[in-house]
Amino acid sequence: MTTISAPVINRPSATSVGTIVWLGSEVMFFAGLFAMYFSLRANSPEIWANDTAILNVPFALVNTLILVASSFTAQFGVFAAERLQPRRTGLSPVKWGMVEWFFLSYILGAIFVAGQVWEYATLISEGVSLSSNSYGSAFYITTGFHALHVTGGLVAFLLVIGKTYAAKKFGHYEATSAIVVSYYWHFVDVVWIGLFLIVYVLK
């Protein structure tokens, strides 16, 4: 008598699906911030022309490239997690594991946030603050909320790295956590690219 085995159903991770749905809501949140920025700019073109001239675009471009680079290093960490390699097997970056790549991503992200803090301090010293005018409000609200999201991503990197050291064995559960964090980090990077184009290029 031939036994027919039940087909194996590969369902997507509930954590991954939940993260993607949540990021969809975050898209709507940032779309609202972009709409606010454009609305205020349309009503105050003179203020925008005056205050955007103060922006240090080359510095912002370098800071943007640092954040974009962190997205690549995070993805290399994902590749290591997918092959279930938590830590390095040699000194060469080719032999790095998820932990090393995520640590590098954390450092790059922290440099980006520090750069934003320095930029804020510079702008405030030149009279552009959150309460100075509509441009100040739009600039700090849009870029500030993004900075908070980046900071949240940095905390997530540390949590994943900590879980990896705490786990007795690095398995698919730990790998999924790393992949989910990378989804969030890539989203944060893409949002910043949009912000950079709107705030610093198009002004």
Side-chain angles (χ1 to χ4, degrees), residues 4-167:
I4 301 175
S5 59
V8 177
I9 301 175
N10 293 319
R11 294 185 176 88
S13 166
T15 304
S16 298
V17 173
T19 301
I20 292 171
V21 171
W22 173 64
L23 290 179
S25 68
E26 288 289 284
V27 170
M28 301 303 294
F29 172 76
F30 278 104
L33 292 181
F34 289 170
M36 175 205 68
Y37 184 91
F38 285 125
S39 297
L40 291 174
R41 186 179 70 172
N43 292 324
S44 308
E46 299 83 6
I47 294 176
W48 248 253
N50 181 65
D51 286 4
T52 54
I54 304 174
L55 294 176
N56 189 339
V57 179
F59 175 81
L61 175 60
V62 171
N63 216 27
T64 298
L65 293 176
I66 290 172
L67 188 64
V68 171
S70 75
S71 203
F72 284 95
T73 57
Q75 189 57 42
F76 285 130
V78 169
F79 292 151
E82 289 176 338
R83 61 177 181 266
L84 301 181
Q85 182 190 346
R87 288 178 284 279
R88 64 183 174 86
T89 57
L91 295 177
S92 171
V94 177
K95 297 182 179 181
W96 281 7
M98 184 215 74
V99 167
E100 289 75 28
W101 285 115
F102 271 23
F103 261 131
L104 181 55
S105 301
Y106 175 87
I107 292 170
L108 292 172
I111 291 173
F112 171 83
V113 173
Q116 275 201 291
V117 171
W118 181 85
E119 182 183 34
Y120 286 174
T122 302
L123 289 174
I124 290 172
S125 69
E126 296 184 8
V128 180
S129 66
L130 180 63
S131 58
S132 60
N133 51 38
S134 57
Y135 173 76
S137 298
F139 177 84
Y140 287 105
I141 289 174
T142 52
T143 60
F145 270 113
H146 178 267
L148 289 176
H149 280 71
V150 174
T151 304
L154 295 179
V155 173
F157 276 133
L158 293 180
L159 290 175
V160 169
I161 292 170
K163 284 176 60 177
T164 300
Y165 279 110

Side-chain angles (χ1 to χ4, degrees), residues 162-173:
K163 284 176 60 177
T164 300
Y165 279 110
K168 295 181 179 179
K169 180 181 179 182
F170 189 86
H172 290 287
Y173 174 77

